[in-house]
């Protein structure tokens, strides 16, 4: 079978394709000028900015990073030492955060950069009751060349708009969100990722919640966007590879017509029972299966890849396709696929060439490949886990070893893709100037 065609799009358009209709609907209500950039309709943007007859509504204010109001902290906190409990607790954030408030009558207020600290919400706030929350996950990397970089951040900002649209949170120009993220990174990056810690990173968490203080089950009329930078441990180095527990038939992560494609909080809370069980049994992640056929979808909050040899003898890199929208369109997933299509198809450095395949595939196919000695490698790919080799899968009473490299290290396909990505993120391996690396100028 030839590799399934992958059509590259402009980065921003690609993510908005996912839910064109949902976005149009959300944007009409909340961020009319974005209809233009989403090339959905120009008409609403042509409303006059003043309206003497009061017969059409005044346009809502857009999120506008140039209006940023800055208040620096007066009590800066120490940066945890590498490997310290504070560094791994995922509780310590940098000195500042971004906030921006929205309401349905005036739109976005001027965003702020302010000291990191608690939010104040009414107990009736929509997000506390109806899961009107979504988020993104990115990293800020301190390069081996001394530079601070983001990795394809425009994709995360576009995906955030896909997620807000799915849960009736307001639209915004993704480029303005990116400017706010960059500003926060530029402000705290120099101190929190010191130049003598090349290869380190902070986790970036943009989030949006509905803050309406009314208990009615209805479209939110108030929202808050906020962004923080958190200390976070590397998670890609389980000795012997990650151990995955395949989900049981009484629990699914996502379903057609649901919201598995969006990074909404409602996808994660309900998965924690299974995740906790897996941990208690010594596994690192759930391998989420779908349907009676046991389609393989994702590993925890990462996309999942296998490398296998077909019965006909060809090597394939396989991951679940996005067509039913039960799988998240990961930036890492997309990047692995693009790099593999660009650099692995013809073979690389002694590695046999691969076909790159996005399709539905089942646990039975993985099991057969393992039993017949055709399974070559498996890995999970996502921002938090980076590229984590998988060494073991438990599927309903049966254990499969997934081959790894010598001494329990990454297999060669996994290691090769990972080195390419590492080079782009941290500016090494001759990848310093790669277009996916977004250099942040420090203040
Ligand atoms: C965030 C996430 C991923 C990985 O996406 P990246 O953009 O690569 O970080 C994969 N699956 C799920 C369910 C996720 O939440």
């Amino acid at each position: 079978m030839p590799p399934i065609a992958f059509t590259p799009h402009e980065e921003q358009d690609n993510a908005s394709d996912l839910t064109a209709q949902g976005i149009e609907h959300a944007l009409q209500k909340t961020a009319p000028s974005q209809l233009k950039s989403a090339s959905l309709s120009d008409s609403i943007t042509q409303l006059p900015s003043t309206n003497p007859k009061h017969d059409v509504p005044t346009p809502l204010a857009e999120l506008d990073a140039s209006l940023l109001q800055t208040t620096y902290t007066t009590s800066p906190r120490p940066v945890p030492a590498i490997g310290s409990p504070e560094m791994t607790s995922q509780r310590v954030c940098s000195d500042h955060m971004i906030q921006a408030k929205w309401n349905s009558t005036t739109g976005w207020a001027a965003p702020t950069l302010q000291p990191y600290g608690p939010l104040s919400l009414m107990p009736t706030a929509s997000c506390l009751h109806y899961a009107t929350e979504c988020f993104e996950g990115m990293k800020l990397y301190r390069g081996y060349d001394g530079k601070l970089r983001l990795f394809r951040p425009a994709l995360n900002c576009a995906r955030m708009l896909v997620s807000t649209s799915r849960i009736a949170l307001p639209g915004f120009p993704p480029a303005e969100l990116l400017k706010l993220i960059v500003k926060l990174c530029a402000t705290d990056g120099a101190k929190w990722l010191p130049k003598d810690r090349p290869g380190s990173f902070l986790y970036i968490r943009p989030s949006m919640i509905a803050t309406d203080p009314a208990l009615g089950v209805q479209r939110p009329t108030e929202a808050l966007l906020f962004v923080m930078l958190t200390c976070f441990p590397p998670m890609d180095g389980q000795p012997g590879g990650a151990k995955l527990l395949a989900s049981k038939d009484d629990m699914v992560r996502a379903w057609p017509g649901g919201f598995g494609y969006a990074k909404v909080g409602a996808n994660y809370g309900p998965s924690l029972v299974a995740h906790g069980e897996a941990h208690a049994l010594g596994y690192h992640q759930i391998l989420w299966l779908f349907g009676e056929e046991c389609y393989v979808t994702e590993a925890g909050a990462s996309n999942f890849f296998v490398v296998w040899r077909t019965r006909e003898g060809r090597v394939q890199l396989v991951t679940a396709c996005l067509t039913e929208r039960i799988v998240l369109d990961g930036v890492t997933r997309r990047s692995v696929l693009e790099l593999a299509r660009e650099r692995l198809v013809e073979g690389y450095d002694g590695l046999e060439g691969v076909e790159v395949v996005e399709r539905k595939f089942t646990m039975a196919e993985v099991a057969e490949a393992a039993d017949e000695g055709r399974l070559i490698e498996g890995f999970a790919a996502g921002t938090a886990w980076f590229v984590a080799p998988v060494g073991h899968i438990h599927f309903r009473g049966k254990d499969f070893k997934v081959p790894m490299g010598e001494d329990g290290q990454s297999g060669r396909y996994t290691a090769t893709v990972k080195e390419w990505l590492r080079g782009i993120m941290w500016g090494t391996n001759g990848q310093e100037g790669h277009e996916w690396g977004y250099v942040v100028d420090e203040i």
Side-chain angles (χ1 to χ4, degrees), residues 139-170:
K139 282 176 177 169
L140 177 65
Y141 303 89
R142 171 61 76 189
Y144 289 96
D145 58 355
K147 291 185 179 159
L148 280 181
R149 282 186 183 77
L150 299 164
F151 181 75
R152 310 186 81 180
L155 290 177
N156 295 91
C157 295
R159 191 172 63 191
M160 179 93 169
L161 182 58
V162 170
S163 299
T164 59
S165 305
R166 181 64 181 82
I167 51 172
L169 285 169

Side-chain angles (χ1 to χ4, degrees), residues 1-3 306-318 352-357 359 361 365-366 368-370 372-377 413:
M1 198 179 72
V306 290
V307 182
W308 64 29
R309 190 176 291 283
T310 64
R311 292 215 172 98
E312 297 73 36
R314 299 191 309 276
V315 178
Q316 293 183 332
L317 173 70
V318 187
E352 197 174 326
V354 296
E355 289 178 3
V356 180
V357 181
R359 70 159 167 92
F361 68 105
E365 289 180 272
V366 178
E368 276 168 26
E372 297 170 14
R374 293 185 288 105
L375 191 57
I376 300 174
E377 292 171 26
Y413 287 102

Side-chain angles (χ1 to χ4, degrees), residues 49-382:
S49 55
T50 55
N51 175 22
K53 287 190 187 153
H54 298 285
D55 56 357
V56 280
T58 311
L60 297 173
E62 280 294 13
L63 182 66
D64 182 349
S66 72
L67 303 177
L68 188 72
Q69 297 167 356
T70 301
T71 312
Y72 292 114
T73 184
T74 51
S75 46
R77 282 164 303 114
V79 180
I82 287 179
S84 63
E86 293 87 356
M87 191 55 104
T88 51
S89 70
Q90 304 179 25
R91 290 167 193 232
V92 177
C93 289
S94 73
D95 290 314
H96 298 97
M97 67 192 297
I98 296 283
Q99 287 197 20
K101 287 184 177 157
W102 173 89
N103 71 54
S104 60
T105 48
T106 54
W108 288 101
T112 58
L113 185 144
Q114 62 186 75
Y116 177 78
L119 303 176
S120 171
L121 290 177
M122 295 311 280
T124 47
S126 166
C127 63
L128 300 177
H129 303 273
Y130 308 124
T132 42
E133 187 272 352
C134 68
F135 62 95
E136 267 305 319
M138 314 159 67
K139 282 176 177 169
L140 177 65
Y141 303 89
R142 171 61 76 189
Y144 289 96
D145 58 355
K147 291 185 179 159
L148 280 181
R149 282 186 183 77
L150 299 164
F151 181 75
R152 310 186 81 180
L155 290 177
N156 295 91
C157 295
R159 191 172 63 191
M160 179 93 169
L161 182 58
V162 170
S163 299
T164 59
S165 305
R166 181 64 181 82
I167 51 172
L169 285 169
F172 55 88
E176 297 304 304
L177 173 60
L178 177 55
K179 286 181 203 161
L180 293 171
I181 292 170
V182 168
K183 182 73 182 175
L184 179 62
C185 292
T187 305
D188 281 355
K191 172 179 164 183
W192 287 79
L193 289 178
K195 285 201 170 163
D196 62 4
R197 294 186 186 180
S200 60
F201 62 84
L202 288 168
Y203 186 82
I204 309 169
R205 173 50 63 86
S207 320
M208 202 190 293
I209 55 176
T211 50
D212 285 49
L215 266 185
V217 183
Q218 64 198 4
R219 246 193 117 85
T221 59
E222 294 179 21
L224 177 70
L225 167 72
F226 53 104
V227 187
M228 63 252 177
L229 306 179
T230 311
C231 298
F232 209 79
M235 307 213 283
D236 51 326
Q238 284 80 18
K243 294 177 74 177
L244 306 181
L245 178 63
S247 60
K248 298 183 194 147
D249 58 5
D250 62 351
M251 209 181 264
V252 295
R253 189 194 90 88
W255 50 90
F259 37 86
Y261 65 89
K263 241 172 154 65
V264 297
N267 277 324
Y268 301 87
S271 76
L272 299 179
V273 173
H275 185 69
E277 254 174 47
H279 258 235
L281 294 169
Y283 295 90
H284 297 103
Q285 282 295 350
I286 295 284
L287 182 62
W288 289 105
L289 307 181
F290 179 75
E292 280 173 22
E293 301 86 349
C294 295
Y295 289 115
V296 179
T297 64
E298 304 198 58
S302 306
N303 295 107
F304 178 71
F305 288 76
V306 290
V307 182
W308 64 29
R309 190 176 291 283
T310 64
R311 292 215 172 98
E312 297 73 36
R314 299 191 309 276
V315 178
Q316 293 183 332
L317 173 70
V318 187
T319 195
C321 54
L322 304 176
T323 42
E324 279 180 305
R325 303 171 87 204
I326 59 175
V327 169
L328 194 97
D329 181 358
V331 177
T332 322
R333 174 189 181 280
R334 185 190 290 232
S335 304
V336 167
L337 291 171
E338 289 177 23
L339 286 177
R341 288 191 168 107
E342 186 187 301
R343 305 183 187 178
L344 273 182
V345 172
E346 304 290 335
Y348 176 83
D349 193 22
L351 278 175
E352 197 174 326
V354 296
E355 289 178 3
V356 180
V357 181
E358 292 171 75
R359 70 159 167 92
K360 288 166 93 167
F361 68 105
T362 64
M363 199 56 224
E365 289 180 272
V366 178
E368 276 168 26
D371 288 344
E372 297 170 14
R374 293 185 288 105
L375 191 57
I376 300 174
E377 292 171 26
F379 61 91

